[in-house]
């Protein structure tokens, strides 16, 4: 009698459900997974070494390009590490702006996640719904930084500039005319904070729409309930963070446990799961969007009532104003020195972490006193999560691998940094 052997197959790196350049070598017994071997490194761009070859202030833009769906959160960790070594602290208004944009970024990330994960598992409409709100928040990114994705908005000592007093308006075009144009510009008649007030009023109803399409949908539940169960002990053993950890019932969140920016002044809840499966992680992320909306609303109210500086008054890290440069030769010299040579950071080492949308994103930074880092090492949540792939897909069907990759919320810019 002929012996039946397992066979291996490649899942990716070109597969759309591989979420980037992941090559997963699967050993299969029929449709059942016997072993899963993730092959990474196909996107490797040497971000850490690039950051070590440039002045500190020239590497902020590299951080946006790591997890390119969680841009400002990546910047936040790097900027906080520099601030730790320099012993400086951003003004209070800048801390609230950072908190607000971290939560805007969390919603942007989770909208991308819920849309793409639903698409992976066969639900088409949710992707279009999620991108409707995502575009509204991308407009906020663009208005404050000039870029829709890679903002480079945070700076050591604060943020690039204060919030704009006017949101850009849609102009008449073949796609936007008459009443449609007026409706689109209704939110844009005031400042950015007015725009965000309108958004936060509207957004809970939009999340209800996503839940109407998915939460009690029997096909969605068949694809996610009981799939990829991660018990609390294993979640900790594998170094999981973010929704992967909270979905297993552990209420660990750096915004509560090790508060930074203005989070200690925010009123919000940490959603946790019960069963630790793909469905629980979906529910956790949906509730996180609602909680982020609460935080944004609180930040907007505070920022409306409390004007002030958004950057430290320190020529070493902050450029002087144009008025100062025209009247003060020393200020002009500081300007040129800052943008050509950068600034020396006192010798030492530090680790700064933020609760990024995908989990704990951290930056280990070592300085030898020069104007560029001696060592940069980034702690990417997706890397730790992907390492557990084999342990949690064994015994599942091939289709469940897609659900598991989706629930990890992988972006390979940070995994292959």
């Amino acid at each position: 009698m002929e012996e039946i052997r397992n066979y291996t197959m490649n899942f990716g790196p070109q597969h759309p459900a591989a979420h980037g350049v992941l090559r997963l070598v699967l050993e299969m017994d029929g449709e059942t997974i016997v072993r899963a071997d993730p092959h990474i490194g196909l996107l490797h761009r040497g971000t850490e070494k690039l950051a070590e070859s440039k002045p500190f202030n020239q590497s902020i833009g590299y951080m946006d390009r790591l997890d390119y769906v969680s841009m400002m959160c990546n910047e936040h960790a790097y900027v906080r590490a520099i601030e730790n070594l320099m012993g400086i602290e951003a003004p209070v208004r800048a801390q609230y702006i950072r908190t607000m944009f971290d939560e805007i970024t969390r919603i942007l990330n989770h909208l991308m996640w819920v849309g793409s994960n639903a698409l992976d598992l066969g639900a088409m409409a949710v992707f279009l719904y999620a991108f409707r709100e995502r575009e509204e928040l991308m407009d906020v990114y663009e208005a404050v930084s000039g870029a829709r994705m890679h903002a480079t908005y945070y700076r050591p000592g604060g943020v690039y500039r204060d919030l704009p007093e006017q949101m850009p308006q849609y102009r008449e075009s073949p796609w936007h005319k008459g009443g449609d144009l007026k409706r689109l510009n209704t939110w844009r008649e005031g400042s950015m904070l007015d725009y965000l007030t309108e958004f936060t009023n509207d957004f809970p109803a939009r999340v209800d729409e996503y839940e109407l399409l998915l939460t009690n949908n029997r096909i969605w539940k068949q694809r996610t309930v009981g799939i990829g169960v991660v018990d609390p002990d294993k979640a900790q053993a594998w170094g999981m963070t973010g929704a992967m950890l909270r979905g297993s019932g552990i209420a660990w969140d750096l915004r509560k446990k090790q508060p930074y920016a203005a989070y200690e002044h925010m009123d919000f809840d940490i959603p946790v799961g019960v069963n630790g499966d793909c469905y629980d992680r979906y529910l956790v992320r949906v509730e996180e969007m609602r909680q982020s909306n609460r935080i944004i609303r609180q930040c907007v109210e505070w920022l409306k009532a409390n004007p002030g500086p958004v950057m430290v008054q320190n020529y070493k890290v902050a450029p002087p104003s144009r008025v100062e440069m025209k009247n003060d030769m020393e200020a002009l010299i500081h300007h040129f020195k800052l943008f050509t040579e950068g600034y020396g950071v006192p010798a030492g080492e530090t680790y700064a972490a933020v609760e990024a949308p995908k989990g704990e994103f951290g930056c280990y930074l070592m300085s030898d006193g020069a104007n560029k880092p001696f060592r940069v090492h980034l702690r990417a949540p997706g890397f730790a999560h992907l390492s557990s792939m084999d342990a949690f897909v064994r015994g599942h069907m091939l289709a469940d691998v897609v659900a598991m990759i989706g629930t990890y919320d992988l972006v390979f810019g940070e995994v292959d940094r």
Side-chain angles (χ1 to χ4, degrees), residues 25 68 84 99 120 214 365 371 389:
V25 180
Y68 38 80
N84 288 349
T99 303
D120 289 344
L214 291 180
L365 193 63
N371 68 330
M389 172 66 75

Side-chain angles (χ1 to χ4, degrees), residues 78-310:
Y78 178 67
V79 164
R80 284 188 66 220
I82 296 173
E83 289 174 344
N84 288 349
L85 288 178
M86 296 189 78
I88 60 175
E89 191 170 331
V92 179
R93 183 173 174 84
Q95 300 284 17
Y96 273 85
I97 290 173
R98 287 180 180 182
T99 303
M100 183 177 78
F101 271 100
D102 277 12
E103 296 310 309
I104 287 172
T105 305
R106 195 177 315 280
I107 292 176
L108 284 171
N109 182 95
H110 289 350
L111 287 174
M112 172 66 86
W113 176 83
V114 76
S116 60
N117 197 24
L119 201 61
D120 289 344
L121 302 186
M124 293 284 292
V126 188
F127 189 81
L128 303 175
Y129 278 58
F131 265 67
R132 177 186 57 192
E133 279 69 67
R134 201 165 187 274
E135 284 301 303
E136 291 172 352
L137 287 180
M138 295 303 281
D139 286 348
V140 177
Y141 253 60
E142 185 176 13
V144 82
S145 70
R148 289 176 65 77
M149 287 185 68
H150 307 309
T152 321
Y153 178 59
Y154 294 2
R155 297 284 194 279
V159 294
Y160 165 51
R161 62 181 177 189
D162 209 342
L163 306 176
E165 288 298 317
Q166 182 69 48
M167 282 293 287
Q169 300 264 322
Y170 282 103
R171 296 179 181 178
E172 188 164 345
S173 70
W175 300 276
H176 303 305
K177 294 181 178 178
D180 179 51
L181 187 67
K182 186 177 180 182
R183 178 184 60 80
L184 288 169
N185 285 330
T186 301
W187 290 7
R188 300 164 180 271
E189 292 171 354
S191 67
M192 175 184 285
L193 293 173
D194 295 328
Y195 178 87
L196 285 169
T197 298
E198 296 291 348
F199 178 86
T200 53
N201 290 338
D202 181 69
F203 189 61
R206 301 306 183 190
V207 180
D208 292 342
E209 291 178 359
Y210 315 146
E211 291 218 66
L212 189 64
L213 288 165
L214 291 180
T215 302
N216 292 315
N217 183 309
R218 72 174 187 272
I219 301 174
W220 179 254
K221 294 183 80 169
Q222 285 166 354
R223 293 299 307 273
T224 56
V225 173
I227 303 300
V229 175
V230 181
D231 67 55
D233 292 337
K234 285 184 179 176
Q236 290 176 299
W238 281 103
M240 291 181 174
T241 51
M244 291 298 298
L245 183 63
R246 293 190 287 273
S248 297
I250 298 176
W252 176 264
D253 190 310
L254 293 180
R255 296 172 296 170
K256 288 280 193 184
K257 302 295 184 181
Q258 299 169 11
Y260 55 95
Y263 282 112
E264 61 187 325
H265 307 299
M266 298 292 118
D267 178 26
F268 66 102
D269 300 316
I270 302 301
V272 294
V274 177
N275 302 311
D277 56 11
C278 288
Y279 186 69
D280 270 15
R281 291 187 283 272
Y282 154 75
L283 293 175
V284 164
R285 288 185 173 107
V286 168
E287 182 57 30
E288 279 187 11
M289 286 196 281
R290 297 186 190 276
Q291 296 302 322
S292 292
N293 199 62
R294 280 178 66 189
I295 295 171
I296 293 168
R297 187 192 295 270
Q298 292 169 60
C299 290
V300 167
E301 290 174 1
W302 190 94
L303 288 165
K304 280 184 175 180
N306 296 275
V310 296

